[in-house]
Amino acid sequence: MVTHPKYHAITISGKIAVGTTTLAKNLQQSIGWQYINTGFIQREFDRNHGNDENKIGAQSRSDEHEREMDAMTKTKLNSEKNIIYEAWLAGFMAQGIPGVFKILVVCSDYGIRIDRVANRENITIDEAKALVKQREEENIPTWKRLYGDHDFWDPKYFDLVIDTYRNGPNESLEIVLNKLDLKPKI
């Protein structure tokens, strides 16, 4: 496992279909750190409660649940070592926690995001547009109500911003490894 002298955790944040999961998995494979995906945790919660995340999202969960998820994020980022933590709000939640390198992933071409969702979910372009709109229109107002009127993906909250429209998966990984001066595990 690769270690870093300054950082014990890396957060990867971004909206739906920008490439956060691809980057997180590639980074995990490259440096061997534990990978935590809160989207997976949320989907499991939704399945266990009979909810379909593609039909309902944050509005189906209590404020208490949202706060518990975000408290879990802060606890893990404060206490665990060598973790890659992927969540929409991970970078925002990591503010003020020492030793956390915060990455924002964006895709500057909205059409590419829609295409990614359509391909991943095996749905039409119109269905993909509706899904992205629904997820963002449910989640963002909930988080603003809970945490204040912030742009949770403002680059000022992050140490590195990567645009996956301009950089492919390998280039994005290389940008992170170079920025952190890390060598992949052998």
Side-chain angles (χ1 to χ4, degrees):
M1 176 183 318
V2 175
T3 60
H4 194 278
K6 183 176 177 184
Y7 300 107
H8 68 271
I10 299 170
T11 62
I12 301 179
S13 302
K15 294 181 179 179
I16 186 173
V18 296
T20 56
T21 300
T22 299
L23 178 59
K25 286 179 176 179
N26 287 344
L27 190 57
Q28 190 279 328
Q29 220 173 29
S30 181
I31 64 174
W33 288 15
Q34 177 189 0
Y35 168 48
I36 300 168
N37 178 323
T38 59
F40 176 80
I41 295 168
Q42 286 285 31
R43 285 186 291 280
E44 181 138 325
F45 175 87
D46 288 341
R47 278 190 300 274
N48 290 338
H49 288 83
N51 298 328
D52 179 348
E53 173 185 313
N54 290 337
K55 296 198 178 11
I56 52 176
Q59 290 179 343
S60 69
R61 301 179 204 109
S62 69
D63 288 354
E64 180 183 352
H65 172 75
E66 292 295 321
R67 285 188 183 106
E68 286 172 2
M69 290 296 294
D70 296 327
M72 176 187 73
T73 296
K74 289 180 179 182
T75 297
K76 287 187 177 295
L77 292 175
N78 268 305
S79 63
E80 295 191 22
K81 303 296 181 220
N82 299 327
I83 63 169
I84 300 164
Y85 200 93
E86 178 196 354
W88 281 34
L89 296 185
F92 180 79
M93 291 294 158
Q95 300 307 301
I97 300 175
V100 178
F101 186 79
K102 299 169 291 299
I103 301 170
L104 173 63
V105 180
V106 300
C107 179
S108 60
D109 186 319
Y110 182 73
I112 297 294
R113 291 178 60 207
I114 298 303
D115 190 56
R116 289 173 179 169
V117 170
N119 289 324
R120 179 176 71 205
E121 302 295 331
N122 196 25
I123 58 178
T124 68
I125 294 296
D126 286 339
E127 290 170 325
K129 286 178 183 176
L131 182 128
V132 169
K133 182 179 182 201
Q134 174 259 321
R135 295 266 312 276
E136 291 178 358
E137 286 181 354
E138 282 190 11
N139 290 332
I140 294 169
T142 296
W143 296 329
K144 285 186 178 218
R145 187 181 74 252
L146 293 173
Y147 305 117
D149 189 17
H150 301 283
D151 173 358
F152 300 103
W153 302 279
D154 187 322
K156 72 182 180 185
Y157 298 124
F158 298 88
D159 302 304
L160 177 64
V161 178
I162 297 174
D163 185 346
T164 60
Y165 174 66
R166 291 179 168 61
N167 301 286
N170 292 334
E171 295 163 312
S172 296
L173 174 62
E174 190 173 323
I175 290 168
V176 174
L177 294 174
N178 286 337
K179 181 74 173 177
L180 291 171
D181 196 27
L182 289 173
K183 305 294 180 234
K185 67 178 184 170
I186 297 177

